[in-house]
Amino acid sequence: MVATRARLQPTALIRQMSHKMMRTLLTWLTVAFLGIALTKGGVVHDRALKTCTLRPLGHGKDDTDQVEAAIARCGHFGTTVFGPGQYNITRKMTWDLVSSRVDMYGYLNFKPDPEYWLNANNTYRVIFIQDQASWFVITGHDFIVDAHASGGINGNGQTWWSFYGNRSRSDGDGRPVSLTLSNVTSGVIKDFRIEAQPFWCNAVADSQDVVYDGMYCNATNQDPLYAGQNVVPNTDGINTYRSNRVSLLRFDITCGDDCLAIKGNSTNIIAKDITCRGGNGIAFGSLGQYVDLPDIVDNVVMEDIKMLRLDPQVQPNMVSGVYLKTWTGSVHGSPPTGGGGGGGFVSNVVAKHVSLDRVTVPIHVYQTNGGQSGDQPSKLQFSNLTFSDWTGTSLRNTIVDIECSAAVPCPNIRFHDIDVAPPNGTAPSYKCINVASEYGLPACNATGTL
């Protein structure tokens, strides 16, 4: 356990951190040591005696009652242990965890019934942005949920993907997030597996001092009817929203959308050792969707990132390494499906040590999401973006495509050691539009305008 926690302090990262980031790291270490103390009964001696142990009731039987009863008894100042197997969950569920530990050696198996879950009464709406639904919410403080790389959630996503094969999808339509952390302070999710998420795999909202240390999500279509299609859209690895000091460590994400999505008012985020298999890459946004709610994203460090293209019969997309997007400055409709006109800023972002496998557009910034001809330019500004040590291959010769808003041009865009190969026989191309100042990539025209 102690050796595993040491991963939170890589020497190279510490050397480059500001004092502010060092304080953030110390906070995370406090959370980690709290977890060690809880496992040894070190906070209050008799807490170690308050243990609830579960075993699955068996095929076709409902485990929801016994799971809720165990968390109610041991979720505060106790330990809950799930033995191996599948625990059938048939209704929405919240765990309120306080100074406690959950060890999961089995899976919460959410019943494969899209029409039941799409009834708004059967899910929670604790994620404000785009009115997203959740079937499982964890809240509370000072807890660890450790799935030991052998437990987690079975989302039965194939039922959903085939159900929606010939149906339209939209934000806020009721498809549930598999695991939602809401109003959490000092929480750890460790070595957790989510199989076949029907929608977003994870979301963290309105939380602080959260550590994800080992997360596996796998949205892989098995229905031959949809071979060669992206029938698993919106299966993001995680969305962060209104959260501060969040650590995303050791993620392995197979999906048809954003591997990571950093949404509005996400600050002091570290992402390290991330593998993205298929999908759209790592996203910042979309931002600026709510005209009266500024989106602020500040101080994000991402390193040791791999983008891997899959067999196109399984997942045809591997779009970007990192892309950043906003709505335009005009308003079209209202959220969750429409909107725009929102302000704010994104600043102090570092993306380094990135390896690409045949992505479509390696580095992309655009501010026209949901836009129409004649729209006002976005009021949300990108600044202080650094892209360092990028290698691999691109399917197109445009390696960098940065198109900032004319209303708020992008200052201080920096590049170091960008060595991404375009297709054979083509020369790399770099585009910088409405970029106020750029360093390290002379071929990128920083004076162009839309």
Side-chain angles (χ1 to χ4, degrees):
M1 176 72 77
V2 176
T4 301
R5 295 299 173 188
R7 294 192 191 103
L8 293 176
Q9 43 180 338
T11 303
L13 184 58
I14 288 176
R15 284 201 300 265
Q16 300 178 50
M17 282 183 178
S18 64
H19 292 297
K20 182 178 179 182
M21 292 297 285
M22 286 294 291
R23 289 195 299 271
T24 299
L25 181 59
L26 288 174
T27 300
W28 292 332
L29 289 173
T30 300
V31 174
F33 284 122
L34 171 64
I36 294 167
L38 283 172
T39 62
K40 296 179 179 179
V43 177
V44 173
H45 181 69
D46 64 0
R47 290 181 190 173
L49 301 177
K50 186 179 176 181
T51 300
C52 297
T53 302
L54 298 90
R55 296 289 182 267
L57 297 178
H59 179 71
K61 296 183 179 179
D62 189 349
D63 291 281
T64 313
D65 284 346
Q66 71 152 336
V67 170
E68 290 183 332
I71 295 298
R73 180 173 182 271
C74 295
H76 287 204
F77 310 107
T79 299
T80 306
V81 180
F82 288 77
Q86 299 263 356
Y87 295 82
N88 296 316
I89 306 301
T90 62
R91 60 179 181 268
K92 62 185 179 183
M93 181 169 58
T94 295
W95 291 1
D96 180 29
L97 302 178
V98 175
S99 298
S100 62
R101 179 181 182 92
V102 178
D103 288 293
M104 296 183 67
Y105 298 95
Y107 285 84
L108 303 176
N109 182 47
F110 285 81
K111 69 175 183 177
D113 187 348
E115 292 181 335
Y116 169 82
W117 294 112
L118 289 171
N119 183 331
N121 295 322
N122 296 330
T123 54
Y124 304 104
R125 292 298 198 277
V126 297
I127 305 169
F128 171 80
I129 190 169
Q130 298 169 341
D131 195 33
Q132 306 295 9
S134 302
W135 60 19
F136 177 33
V137 175
I138 298 179
T139 189
H141 61 87
D142 302 299
F143 63 79
I144 294 177
V145 177
D146 190 344
H148 303 275
S150 61
I153 291 171
N154 182 356
N156 291 298
Q158 189 64 61
T159 300
W160 289 81
W161 308 326
S162 297
F163 175 82
Y164 272 102
N166 295 312
R167 292 177 170 88
S168 61
R169 303 170 174 88
S170 61
D171 285 320
D173 62 8
R175 288 170 293 158
V177 178
S178 292
L179 174 60
T180 300
L181 302 192
S182 175
N183 287 290
V184 167
T185 300
S186 300
V188 177
I189 305 295
K190 188 174 188 321
D191 290 326
F192 202 94
R193 297 178 65 87
I194 300 180
E195 303 282 357
Q197 66 270 23
F199 186 60
W200 296 356
C201 196
N202 292 274
V204 55
D206 304 292
S207 298
Q208 62 181 349
D209 301 316
V210 172
V211 177
Y212 293 85
D213 184 9
M215 174 58 65
Y216 172 88
C217 300
N218 184 5
T220 300
N221 172 55
Q222 303 288 342
D223 188 339
L225 182 63
Y226 302 107
Q229 304 177 44
N230 181 23
V231 74
V232 296
N234 310 124
T235 50
D236 302 15
I238 189 169
N239 281 249
T240 67
Y241 180 62
R242 288 180 175 172
S243 293
N244 184 34
R245 297 190 298 273
V246 177
S247 162
L248 311 174
L249 309 175
R250 298 191 298 120
F251 272 47
D252 190 325
I253 308 298
T254 300
C255 71
D257 214 294
D258 297 333
C259 181
L260 313 178
I262 311 300
K263 286 194 169 7
N265 301 296
S266 297
T267 53
N268 299 304
I269 310 294
I270 289 180
K272 180 175 173 59
D273 191 7
I274 310 294
T275 300
C276 305
R277 305 176 191 272
N280 291 345
I282 293 177
F284 285 72
S286 58
L287 304 166
Q289 184 176 7
Y290 291 78
V291 65
D292 54 347
L293 296 174
D295 281 330
I296 295 172
V297 175
D298 192 19
N299 206 15
V300 180
V301 177
M302 302 180 294
E303 65 175 318
D304 300 334
I305 311 295
K306 295 180 182 177
M307 302 291 168
L308 302 177
R309 183 171 287 275
L310 300 176
D311 180 340
Q313 290 299 300
V314 175
Q315 172 53 250
N317 296 340
M318 184 69 261
V319 179
S320 290
V322 173
Y323 73 109
L324 304 91
K325 61 179 178 177
T326 74
W327 292 64
T328 68
S330 298
V331 178
H332 298 291
S334 59
T337 56
F345 67 84
V346 175
S347 189
N348 302 311
V349 173
V350 176
K352 59 185 177 180
H353 311 320
V354 179
S355 174
L356 307 176
D357 176 19
R358 296 166 290 164
V359 305
T360 307
V361 184
I363 298 172
H364 196 191
V365 174
Y366 62 99
Q367 302 201 246
T368 55
N369 189 65
Q372 300 176 11
S373 177
D375 275 1
Q376 294 296 311
S378 172
K379 299 177 291 184
L380 191 151
Q381 185 178 53
F382 294 109
S383 66
N384 305 316
L385 310 181
T386 299
F387 306 92
S388 178
D389 188 18
W390 284 55
T391 60
T393 55
S394 172
L395 292 184
R396 298 179 183 172
N397 71 326
T398 300
I399 308 302
V400 173
D401 184 0
I402 297 183
E403 303 181 33
C404 301
S405 168
V408 279
C410 300
N412 196 26
I413 310 301
R414 295 180 177 267
F415 302 93
H416 305 280
D417 299 323
I418 306 300
D419 186 18
V420 178
N424 288 337
T426 64
S429 172
Y430 309 94
K431 181 189 295 184
C432 291
I433 296 175
N434 295 321
V435 174
S437 55
E438 174 275 323
Y439 306 91
L441 200 63
C444 207
N445 177 13
T447 62
T449 59
L450 284 174

